[in-house]
Amino acid sequence: MLDEIRAGREAAGMALVGEVGAVAEAAAAMSGRFRRGGRLLAVGRAEAAADAAHVAVEFTHPVIVGKPALPALCLGAEPALLPIWGRPQDIAVGVRPAVGDLAAARSLGMLTVALTVNATCAEADHVLAARSADPLVAREIHVTMYHLLWELVHVFLESEAQT
């Protein structure tokens, strides 16, 4: 049984390697929105609401000295708040969004990023899939993805500031 669990984790980790280009593209787009005064609005239903809160905290409370805080809010399990709080220059991040959760944000012109599990998300500009049937492994992959997003957004912002 442990070998099966280990194999599933390794497969999901290797699938993440395949998503690195998509993560970098999403981070580049996000840095452009932050540069223009945008905010990150995170949503997630049920247990994904905790991950949405974690995403917002990562951006507002950098753990590395010298990294600027970036404006981010968690709207919890209420994607219906996206059109109320969102502006065209903002970023909507949906953690395991249901169909339609990001549609209003996209129609406003917001950049939409979806962290999914083996799924597509038609209303997302950037879909980052965990590719694991195990919900705990998928959550670990999502945590890794949004930490990568945070780091890469800062890399893009810093490189653009130096040019």
Side-chain angles (χ1 to χ4, degrees):
M1 183 167 163
L2 288 177
D3 288 338
E4 186 178 316
I5 293 169
R6 187 174 298 117
R9 290 175 56 99
E10 287 175 12
M14 292 309 294
L16 175 59
V17 171
E19 294 286 323
V20 168
V23 173
E25 287 176 17
M30 290 169 69
S31 71
R33 296 296 177 113
F34 281 122
R35 196 175 334 96
R36 292 189 301 273
R39 305 164 301 171
L40 184 147
L41 304 177
V43 296
R45 294 177 184 268
E47 69 278 355
D51 289 317
H54 189 176
V55 170
V57 166
E58 287 296 323
F59 282 85
T60 57
H61 298 287
V63 296
I64 298 175
V65 173
K67 300 289 184 186
L70 296 170
L73 299 166
C74 176
L75 303 180
E78 297 297 334
L81 293 175
L82 285 168
I84 296 167
W85 285 86
R87 305 170 303 178
Q89 69 268 31
D90 290 338
I91 305 155
V93 174
V95 182
R96 294 188 295 284
V99 172
D101 279 358
L102 298 176
R106 191 165 191 195
S107 71
L108 283 173
M110 295 174 68
L111 177 71
T112 53
V113 179
L115 300 174
T116 68
V117 180
N118 293 322
T120 60
C121 182
E123 63 260 17
D125 298 304
H126 299 275
V127 179
L128 307 175
R131 311 226 183 274
S132 176
D134 183 328
L136 297 177
V137 172
R139 187 168 191 213
E140 288 177 14
I141 297 296
H142 285 151
V143 170
T144 302
M145 284 178 169
Y146 56 75
H147 283 112
L148 285 170
L149 286 171
W150 178 87
E151 181 66 35
L152 290 172
V153 163
H154 283 282
V155 167
F156 286 118
L157 288 171
E158 289 168 5
S159 69
E160 292 160 2
Q162 294 173 2
T163 58

